[in-house]
Amino acid sequence: SMHDEQGAFELNLSSGISEELIPLNKSVWLAHGIIAFLAWGVLIPFAVQASLLRDLLPKGPLWIKLHKVFNATAYASFIALFAIAV
């Protein structure tokens, strides 16, 4: 059939030459997606909630410590997921 071959390719529109690209490593992109979800979907919302809900936490510096830890861990995750993507 006409569409038996699937994959990524690069097409040079000036010359009309195409070449097959190396297939993406799906496990690396899965790791990137999981780390991105944890950073953006878990850590950052927890950091925001630690600040917004500080009156519900015990008095003292606990809320700012939680806020800093969640943000620092999210930042480290951003570095890791960027390194994986590049």
Side-chain angles (χ1 to χ4, degrees):
S1 141
M2 187 169 147
H3 296 288
D4 286 339
E5 296 285 327
Q6 293 183 8
F9 65 93
E10 184 176 283
L11 175 62
N12 183 334
L13 295 176
S14 297
S15 65
I17 298 173
S18 67
E19 63 181 77
E20 186 176 358
L21 298 176
I22 298 170
L24 299 174
N25 186 341
K26 292 189 185 224
S27 61
V28 171
W29 282 103
L30 179 63
H32 171 85
I34 290 170
I35 294 170
F37 168 75
L38 290 174
W40 285 105
V42 177
L43 295 170
I44 292 299
F46 280 11
V48 171
Q49 293 304 315
S51 176
L52 291 176
L53 302 175
R54 69 182 99 174
D55 294 334
L56 300 177
L57 294 171
K59 295 292 180 201
L62 177 62
W63 78 269
I64 193 70
K65 289 180 181 178
L66 289 172
H67 184 73
K68 287 180 181 180
V69 167
F70 288 135
N71 276 322
T73 308
Y75 180 74
S77 299
F78 297 150
I79 300 298
L81 69 91
F82 180 77
I84 289 172
V86 175

Coordinates of all heavy atoms in Angstrom, one line a residue:
S1 N 0.8 -1.2 0.0 CA 0.0 0.0 0.0 C 0.9 1.2 0.0 O 2.1 1.2 0.3 CB -0.9 -0.1 1.2 OG -1.1 1.1 1.8
M2 N 0.3 2.3 -0.3 CA 1.0 3.6 -0.5 C 1.6 4.1 0.9 O 2.7 4.7 0.9 CB 0.1 4.6 -1.1 CG 0.8 5.9 -1.4 SD -0.4 6.9 -2.4 CE 0.0 8.5 -1.9
H3 N 0.9 3.9 2.0 CA 1.4 4.4 3.3 C 1.9 3.4 4.2 O 1.7 3.5 5.4 CB 0.2 5.2 3.9 CG -0.3 6.3 3.1 ND1 0.4 7.5 3.0 CD2 -1.4 6.5 2.4 CE1 -0.3 8.3 2.2 NE2 -1.4 7.8 1.8
D4 N 2.7 2.4 3.7 CA 3.3 1.4 4.6 C 4.4 2.0 5.4 O 4.6 1.6 6.5 CB 3.8 0.2 3.8 CG 2.7 -0.6 3.3 OD1 1.6 -0.6 3.8 OD2 2.9 -1.3 2.3
E5 N 5.2 2.9 4.9 CA 6.3 3.5 5.5 C 5.8 4.7 6.3 O 5.2 5.6 5.8 CB 7.4 3.9 4.5 CG 8.0 2.8 3.8 CD 9.0 2.0 4.6 OE1 9.6 2.6 5.5 OE2 9.0 0.8 4.4
Q6 N 6.2 4.8 7.6 CA 5.8 6.0 8.4 C 7.1 6.4 9.2 O 7.9 5.5 9.5 CB 4.7 5.6 9.4 CG 3.4 5.4 8.8 CD 2.3 5.1 9.8 OE1 2.5 5.3 11.0 NE2 1.2 4.7 9.4
G7 N 7.2 7.6 9.4 CA 8.4 8.1 10.2 C 8.7 9.6 9.9 O 8.0 10.2 9.1
A8 N 9.7 10.1 10.6 CA 10.0 11.5 10.4 C 11.0 11.6 9.2 O 11.8 10.8 9.0 CB 10.6 12.0 11.7
F9 N 10.9 12.7 8.5 CA 11.8 13.0 7.4 C 12.0 14.5 7.3 O 11.2 15.3 7.8 CB 11.3 12.4 6.1 CG 10.0 13.1 5.6 CD1 10.1 14.1 4.7 CD2 8.8 12.6 6.0 CE1 9.0 14.7 4.3 CE2 7.7 13.2 5.6 CZ 7.7 14.3 4.7
E10 N 13.1 14.9 6.6 CA 13.4 16.3 6.4 C 13.3 16.5 4.9 O 13.9 15.7 4.1 CB 14.8 16.6 6.9 CG 15.1 18.1 6.8 CD 16.4 18.4 7.4 OE1 16.5 18.5 8.6 OE2 17.4 18.5 6.6
L11 N 12.6 17.5 4.5 CA 12.4 17.8 3.1 C 13.0 19.1 2.8 O 12.6 20.2 3.3 CB 10.9 17.8 2.7 CG 10.6 18.2 1.2 CD1 11.2 17.2 0.2 CD2 9.1 18.3 1.1
N12 N 14.0 19.1 1.9 CA 14.6 20.4 1.4 C 13.8 20.9 0.2 O 13.8 20.3 -0.9 CB 16.1 20.2 1.0 CG 16.8 21.4 0.6 OD1 16.1 22.4 0.2 ND2 18.1 21.4 0.8
L13 N 13.1 22.0 0.4 CA 12.2 22.4 -0.6 C 12.9 23.0 -1.8 O 12.4 23.1 -2.9 CB 11.2 23.4 -0.1 CG 10.2 22.9 1.0 CD1 9.3 24.0 1.5 CD2 9.3 21.8 0.4
S14 N 14.1 23.5 -1.6 CA 14.9 24.1 -2.7 C 15.4 23.0 -3.7 O 15.3 23.2 -4.9 CB 16.1 24.8 -2.2 OG 15.8 25.9 -1.4
S15 N 15.9 21.9 -3.1 CA 16.4 20.8 -4.0 C 15.4 19.7 -4.3 O 15.5 18.9 -5.2 CB 17.7 20.2 -3.4 OG 17.4 19.6 -2.2
G16 N 14.4 19.6 -3.4 CA 13.4 18.5 -3.5 C 13.9 17.2 -2.9 O 13.2 16.1 -3.1
I17 N 15.0 17.2 -2.3 CA 15.6 16.0 -1.7 C 15.1 15.8 -0.3 O 15.0 16.7 0.5 CB 17.1 16.1 -1.6 CG1 17.7 16.2 -3.1 CG2 17.7 14.9 -0.9 CD1 19.2 16.5 -3.1
S18 N 14.7 14.6 0.0 CA 14.2 14.3 1.4 C 15.2 13.2 2.0 O 15.8 12.4 1.3 CB 12.8 13.8 1.4 OG 12.7 12.5 0.8
E19 N 15.3 13.2 3.3 CA 16.1 12.2 4.0 C 15.3 11.8 5.3 O 14.7 12.6 5.9 CB 17.5 12.7 4.3 CG 17.6 13.8 5.2 CD 19.0 14.3 5.4 OE1 19.6 14.9 4.5 OE2 19.6 13.9 6.5
E20 N 15.5 10.5 5.6 CA 14.8 10.0 6.8 C 15.6 10.5 8.0 O 16.8 10.5 8.1 CB 14.8 8.5 6.8 CG 14.0 7.9 7.9 CD 13.9 6.4 7.8 OE1 14.4 5.8 6.8 OE2 13.3 5.8 8.7
L21 N 14.9 10.9 9.1 CA 15.5 11.3 10.3 C 15.5 10.1 11.3 O 14.8 9.2 11.2 CB 14.7 12.5 10.9 CG 14.6 13.8 10.1 CD1 13.8 14.8 10.8 CD2 16.0 14.3 9.9
I22 N 16.4 10.2 12.2 CA 16.6 9.2 13.2 C 15.3 9.2 14.1 O 14.8 10.2 14.5 CB 17.8 9.5 14.1 CG1 19.1 9.4 13.3 CG2 17.9 8.5 15.3 CD1 20.3 9.9 14.0
P23 N 14.7 8.0 14.3 CA 13.5 8.0 15.1 C 13.7 8.5 16.5 O 14.8 8.3 17.1 CB 13.1 6.5 15.1 CG 14.1 5.8 14.4 CD 15.1 6.7 13.9
L24 N 12.7 9.1 17.1 CA 12.7 9.6 18.4 C 12.7 8.5 19.4 O 12.1 7.5 19.2 CB 11.6 10.6 18.7 CG 11.5 11.8 17.8 CD1 10.2 12.5 18.1 CD2 12.7 12.7 18.0
N25 N 13.5 8.7 20.5 CA 13.5 7.7 21.6 C 12.2 8.0 22.5 O 12.2 9.0 23.2 CB 14.8 7.9 22.4 CG 14.9 6.8 23.5 OD1 13.9 6.2 23.8 ND2 16.1 6.7 23.9
K26 N 11.2 7.2 22.4 CA 10.0 7.4 23.1 C 10.1 7.4 24.6 O 9.4 8.1 25.3 CB 8.9 6.4 22.6 CG 8.5 6.7 21.1 CD 7.4 5.9 20.7 CE 7.2 6.1 19.2 NZ 5.8 6.3 18.8
S27 N 11.0 6.6 25.1 CA 11.1 6.5 26.6 C 11.7 7.8 27.1 O 11.4 8.2 28.2 CB 12.0 5.3 27.0 OG 13.3 5.4 26.4
V28 N 12.6 8.5 26.3 CA 13.1 9.8 26.7 C 12.0 10.8 26.8 O 11.9 11.6 27.7 CB 14.3 10.2 25.8 CG1 14.7 11.6 26.1 CG2 15.5 9.3 26.0
W29 N 11.1 10.8 25.7 CA 10.0 11.8 25.7 C 9.0 11.5 26.8 O 8.4 12.4 27.3 CB 9.4 11.8 24.3 CG 10.2 12.6 23.4 CD1 11.1 12.1 22.4 CD2 10.4 14.0 23.4 NE1 11.7 13.2 21.8 CE2 11.3 14.3 22.3 CE3 9.8 15.1 24.1 CZ2 11.7 15.7 22.0 CZ3 10.2 16.4 23.8 CH2 11.1 16.6 22.8
L30 N 8.8 10.2 27.1 CA 7.9 9.9 28.2 C 8.5 10.4 29.5 O 7.7 11.0 30.3 CB 7.7 8.3 28.3 CG 6.9 7.8 29.4 CD1 5.4 8.4 29.2 CD2 6.9 6.3 29.4
A31 N 9.8 10.2 29.8 CA 10.4 10.8 31.0 C 10.2 12.3 31.0 O 9.9 12.9 32.1 CB 11.9 10.4 31.0
H32 N 10.4 12.9 29.9 CA 10.3 14.4 29.8 C 8.8 14.8 30.1 O 8.6 15.7 30.9 CB 10.6 14.9 28.3 CG 10.3 16.3 28.0 ND1 11.1 17.3 28.3 CD2 9.2 16.8 27.5 CE1 10.5 18.4 28.0 NE2 9.3 18.2 27.4
G33 N 7.9 14.1 29.6 CA 6.5 14.4 29.9 C 6.1 14.2 31.4 O 5.4 15.0 32.0
I34 N 6.6 13.1 32.0 CA 6.3 12.8 33.4 C 6.9 13.9 34.3 O 6.3 14.4 35.2 CB 6.8 11.4 33.8 CG1 6.0 10.3 33.1 CG2 6.8 11.2 35.3 CD1 6.5 8.9 33.2
I35 N 8.2 14.2 34.0 CA 8.8 15.3 34.8 C 8.1 16.6 34.6 O 7.9 17.4 35.6 CB 10.3 15.4 34.5 CG1 11.1 14.1 34.9 CG2 11.0 16.6 35.2 CD1 12.5 14.0 34.4
A36 N 7.7 16.9 33.4 CA 7.0 18.2 33.2 C 5.7 18.2 33.9 O 5.3 19.2 34.5 CB 6.8 18.4 31.7
F37 N 5.0 17.1 33.9 CA 3.7 17.0 34.6 C 3.9 17.2 36.1 O 3.2 18.0 36.8 CB 3.0 15.7 34.4 CG 1.9 15.5 35.4 CD1 0.7 16.1 35.2 CD2 2.0 14.6 36.4 CE1 -0.4 16.0 36.1 CE2 1.0 14.4 37.3 CZ -0.2 15.1 37.2
L38 N 4.9 16.5 36.7 CA 5.2 16.7 38.1 C 5.6 18.1 38.5 O 5.1 18.7 39.5 CB 6.3 15.7 38.5 CG 5.9 14.2 38.5 CD1 7.1 13.4 38.8 CD2 4.8 14.0 39.5
A39 N 6.4 18.8 37.6 CA 6.8 20.1 37.9 C 5.7 21.1 37.8 O 5.4 21.9 38.7 CB 7.9 20.5 36.9
W40 N 5.0 21.1 36.6 CA 3.9 22.1 36.4 C 2.6 21.7 37.0 O 1.8 22.5 37.4 CB 3.7 22.2 34.9 CG 4.8 23.1 34.3 CD1 5.8 22.6 33.5 CD2 4.9 24.5 34.4 NE1 6.6 23.7 33.1 CE2 6.1 24.8 33.6 CE3 4.2 25.5 35.0 CZ2 6.5 26.1 33.5 CZ3 4.7 26.8 34.9 CH2 5.8 27.1 34.2
G41 N 2.3 20.4 37.1 CA 1.0 19.9 37.6 C 0.9 19.6 39.1 O -0.1 19.6 39.7
V42 N 2.1 19.4 39.7 CA 2.1 19.1 41.1 C 2.9 20.1 41.9 O 2.4 20.7 42.9 CB 2.7 17.7 41.3 CG1 2.8 17.3 42.8 CG2 1.8 16.6 40.6
L43 N 4.2 20.3 41.6 CA 5.1 21.1 42.5 C 4.7 22.6 42.5 O 4.6 23.2 43.5 CB 6.5 20.9 42.0 CG 7.1 19.5 42.2 CD1 8.4 19.4 41.6 CD2 7.2 19.2 43.7
I44 N 4.5 23.1 41.3 CA 4.1 24.6 41.3 C 2.8 24.8 41.9 O 2.7 25.8 42.7 CB 4.2 25.1 39.8 CG1 5.6 25.1 39.3 CG2 3.5 26.5 39.7 CD1 6.6 26.0 40.1
P45 N 1.7 24.0 41.7 CA 0.5 24.3 42.4 C 0.6 24.1 43.9 O 0.0 24.9 44.7 CB -0.5 23.2 41.8 CG 0.0 23.0 40.5 CD 1.5 23.1 40.6
F46 N 1.5 23.2 44.4 CA 1.7 23.0 45.8 C 2.4 24.2 46.4 O 2.1 24.7 47.5 CB 2.5 21.8 46.1 CG 1.7 20.5 46.1 CD1 0.4 20.5 45.6 CD2 2.2 19.3 46.6 CE1 -0.4 19.3 45.7 CE2 1.5 18.1 46.6 CZ 0.2 18.1 46.1
A47 N 3.4 24.8 45.6 CA 4.1 26.0 46.1 C 3.1 27.2 46.2 O 3.2 27.9 47.2 CB 5.2 26.3 45.1
V48 N 2.2 27.3 45.2 CA 1.2 28.4 45.3 C 0.3 28.2 46.5 O 0.0 29.1 47.2 CB 0.4 28.5 44.0 CG1 -0.7 29.4 44.1 CG2 1.4 28.9 42.8
Q49 N -0.2 26.9 46.6 CA -1.1 26.7 47.7 C -0.5 26.8 49.1 O -1.1 27.3 50.1 CB -1.7 25.3 47.6 CG -2.6 25.1 46.4 CD -3.7 26.1 46.4 OE1 -4.4 26.3 47.4 NE2 -4.0 26.6 45.2
A50 N 0.8 26.5 49.2 CA 1.5 26.7 50.5 C 1.5 28.2 50.9 O 1.4 28.6 52.1 CB 3.0 26.3 50.4
S51 N 1.6 29.1 49.9 CA 1.5 30.5 50.2 C 0.1 31.0 50.4 O -0.2 31.7 51.4 CB 2.1 31.3 49.0 OG 1.9 32.7 49.2
L52 N -0.9 30.5 49.6 CA -2.3 31.0 49.7 C -2.9 30.5 51.0 O -3.8 31.2 51.6 CB -3.1 30.5 48.5 CG -2.8 31.2 47.2 CD1 -3.6 30.6 46.1 CD2 -3.0 32.7 47.3
L53 N -2.6 29.3 51.4 CA -3.2 28.7 52.6 C -2.4 28.7 53.8 O -2.5 27.9 54.7 CB -3.6 27.2 52.2 CG -4.5 27.0 51.0 CD1 -4.7 25.6 50.7 CD2 -5.8 27.7 51.2
R54 N -1.5 29.7 53.9 CA -0.6 29.8 55.0 C -1.3 29.9 56.4 O -0.8 29.5 57.4 CB 0.5 30.9 54.8 CG -0.1 32.3 54.9 CD 0.9 33.3 54.6 NE 0.8 33.7 53.2 CZ 1.4 34.7 52.7 NH1 2.3 35.4 53.4 NH2 1.2 35.0 51.4
D55 N -2.5 30.5 56.4 CA -3.2 30.7 57.6 C -3.7 29.4 58.1 O -4.0 29.3 59.3 CB -4.4 31.7 57.4 CG -3.9 33.1 57.1 OD1 -2.8 33.4 57.5 OD2 -4.6 33.8 56.4
L56 N -3.8 28.4 57.3 CA -4.3 27.0 57.8 C -3.2 26.2 58.3 O -3.4 25.2 58.9 CB -5.0 26.3 56.6 CG -6.2 27.0 56.0 CD1 -6.8 26.2 54.8 CD2 -7.3 27.2 57.1
L57 N -1.9 26.6 58.0 CA -0.8 25.8 58.5 C -0.4 26.3 59.9 O -0.8 27.4 60.3 CB 0.4 26.0 57.6 CG 0.2 25.5 56.2 CD1 1.4 25.9 55.2 CD2 0.2 23.9 56.2
P58 N 0.4 25.5 60.7 CA 0.8 26.0 62.0 C 1.6 27.3 61.9 O 2.3 27.6 60.9 CB 1.7 24.9 62.5 CG 1.3 23.7 61.7 CD 0.8 24.2 60.4
K59 N 1.4 28.2 62.9 CA 2.1 29.5 62.9 C 3.6 29.2 62.8 O 4.1 28.3 63.4 CB 1.8 30.3 64.2 CG 0.3 30.7 64.3 CD 0.0 31.7 63.2 CE -1.5 32.1 63.3 NZ -2.0 32.6 62.1
G60 N 4.3 30.1 62.1 CA 5.7 30.1 62.0 C 6.1 30.0 60.6 O 5.3 30.2 59.7
P61 N 7.4 29.7 60.3 CA 7.9 29.7 59.0 C 7.7 28.5 58.1 O 8.3 28.3 57.1 CB 9.4 29.9 59.2 CG 9.7 29.2 60.5 CD 8.4 29.4 61.3
L62 N 6.8 27.6 58.6 CA 6.6 26.3 57.8 C 6.1 26.6 56.4 O 6.6 26.0 55.4 CB 5.5 25.4 58.5 CG 5.2 24.2 57.8 CD1 6.4 23.3 57.6 CD2 4.0 23.4 58.5
W63 N 5.2 27.6 56.2 CA 4.6 27.8 54.9 C 5.7 28.3 53.9 O 5.7 27.9 52.8 CB 3.5 28.8 54.9 CG 3.9 30.3 55.1 CD1 4.1 30.9 56.2 CD2 4.2 31.2 54.0 NE1 4.5 32.2 56.0 CE2 4.6 32.4 54.6 CE3 4.3 31.1 52.6 CZ2 5.0 33.5 53.9 CZ3 4.6 32.2 51.9 CH2 5.0 33.4 52.5
I64 N 6.6 29.2 54.4 CA 7.7 29.7 53.5 C 8.7 28.6 53.2 O 9.2 28.5 52.1 CB 8.3 31.0 54.0 CG1 9.2 31.6 52.9 CG2 9.2 30.7 55.2 CD1 8.4 32.3 51.8
K65 N 8.9 27.7 54.1 CA 9.8 26.6 53.9 C 9.2 25.6 52.8 O 10.0 25.2 51.9 CB 10.1 25.8 55.2 CG 11.0 26.6 56.1 CD 11.3 25.8 57.4 CE 12.2 26.6 58.3 NZ 12.4 25.9 59.6
L66 N 8.0 25.3 53.0 CA 7.3 24.5 52.0 C 7.3 25.2 50.6 O 7.6 24.5 49.6 CB 5.8 24.2 52.4 CG 5.6 23.3 53.6 CD1 4.2 23.3 54.0 CD2 6.1 21.9 53.2
H67 N 7.0 26.4 50.6 CA 7.0 27.2 49.3 C 8.3 27.2 48.6 O 8.4 26.9 47.4 CB 6.6 28.7 49.7 CG 6.4 29.6 48.5 ND1 5.4 29.5 47.6 CD2 7.2 30.6 48.1 CE1 5.5 30.4 46.7 NE2 6.6 31.1 46.9
K68 N 9.4 27.4 49.4 CA 10.8 27.3 48.9 C 11.1 25.9 48.3 O 11.7 25.8 47.3 CB 11.8 27.8 49.9 CG 11.7 29.3 50.2 CD 12.8 29.6 51.2 CE 12.8 31.1 51.6 NZ 13.8 31.4 52.6
V69 N 10.8 24.9 49.1 CA 11.2 23.5 48.7 C 10.4 23.2 47.4 O 11.0 22.6 46.5 CB 10.9 22.5 49.9 CG1 10.9 21.1 49.4 CG2 11.8 22.7 51.0
F70 N 9.1 23.4 47.4 CA 8.4 23.1 46.2 C 8.9 23.9 45.0 O 9.0 23.3 43.9 CB 6.9 23.4 46.3 CG 6.2 22.4 47.3 CD1 5.3 22.9 48.2 CD2 6.4 21.1 47.1 CE1 4.6 22.0 49.1 CE2 5.7 20.2 48.0 CZ 4.9 20.6 48.9
N71 N 9.2 25.2 45.1 CA 9.7 25.9 44.0 C 11.1 25.5 43.6 O 11.4 25.4 42.4 CB 9.7 27.4 44.3 CG 8.4 28.1 44.1 OD1 7.7 27.8 43.1 ND2 8.0 29.0 44.9
A72 N 12.0 25.2 44.5 CA 13.3 24.7 44.2 C 13.3 23.4 43.5 O 14.0 23.2 42.5 CB 14.2 24.7 45.5
T73 N 12.4 22.5 44.0 CA 12.3 21.2 43.3 C 11.7 21.3 41.9 O 12.2 20.7 41.0 CB 11.4 20.3 44.2 OG1 11.9 20.2 45.5 CG2 11.4 18.9 43.6
A74 N 10.8 22.2 41.8 CA 10.2 22.5 40.4 C 11.3 23.1 39.5 O 11.4 22.7 38.3 CB 9.0 23.4 40.5
Y75 N 12.1 24.0 40.0 CA 13.2 24.6 39.2 C 14.2 23.5 38.8 O 14.6 23.5 37.6 CB 13.9 25.7 40.0 CG 15.0 26.3 39.2 CD1 14.7 27.2 38.2 CD2 16.3 26.1 39.5 CE1 15.7 27.8 37.4 CE2 17.3 26.7 38.8 CZ 17.0 27.5 37.8 OH 18.0 28.1 37.0
A76 N 14.6 22.6 39.7 CA 15.5 21.5 39.3 C 14.8 20.6 38.3 O 15.5 20.1 37.4 CB 15.9 20.7 40.6
S77 N 13.5 20.4 38.4 CA 12.8 19.6 37.4 C 12.8 20.2 36.1 O 13.0 19.6 35.0 CB 11.4 19.3 37.9 OG 11.4 18.7 39.1
F78 N 12.7 21.6 36.0 CA 12.7 22.3 34.7 C 14.0 22.1 34.1 O 14.1 21.9 32.9 CB 12.5 23.8 34.9 CG 11.1 24.2 35.5 CD1 11.0 25.3 36.3 CD2 10.0 23.4 35.3 CE1 9.8 25.6 36.8 CE2 8.8 23.7 35.8 CZ 8.6 24.9 36.5
I79 N 15.1 22.2 34.8 CA 16.4 22.0 34.3 C 16.6 20.6 33.7 O 17.1 20.4 32.6 CB 17.5 22.3 35.3 CG1 17.4 23.7 35.9 CG2 18.9 22.0 34.8 CD1 17.7 24.8 34.9
A80 N 16.1 19.6 34.4 CA 16.2 18.2 34.0 C 15.3 18.0 32.7 O 15.8 17.4 31.8 CB 15.7 17.3 35.1
L81 N 14.1 18.5 32.7 CA 13.3 18.2 31.6 C 13.7 19.0 30.3 O 13.6 18.5 29.2 CB 11.8 18.5 31.9 CG 11.3 19.9 32.1 CD1 10.8 20.5 30.8 CD2 10.1 19.8 33.1
F82 N 14.3 20.1 30.5 CA 14.9 20.9 29.4 C 16.1 20.1 28.8 O 16.3 20.0 27.6 CB 15.3 22.3 29.8 CG 15.9 23.1 28.7 CD1 15.1 23.6 27.7 CD2 17.3 23.2 28.6 CE1 15.7 24.3 26.7 CE2 17.9 23.9 27.6 CZ 17.1 24.5 26.6
A83 N 16.9 19.6 29.7 CA 18.1 18.8 29.3 C 17.7 17.5 28.5 O 18.3 17.2 27.6 CB 19.0 18.4 30.5
I84 N 16.6 16.9 29.0 CA 16.1 15.7 28.3 C 15.6 16.1 26.9 O 15.8 15.4 25.9 CB 15.0 15.0 29.1 CG1 15.6 14.4 30.4 CG2 14.2 14.0 28.3 CD1 14.6 13.9 31.3
A85 N 14.9 17.2 26.8 CA 14.3 17.6 25.5 C 15.3 18.1 24.5 O 15.2 17.9 23.3 CB 13.3 18.8 25.8
V86 N 16.4 18.6 25.0 CA 17.5 19.1 24.1 C 18.4 18.0 23.8 O 18.7 17.5 22.8 CB 18.2 20.3 24.7 CG1 19.4 20.7 23.8 CG2 17.3 21.5 24.9

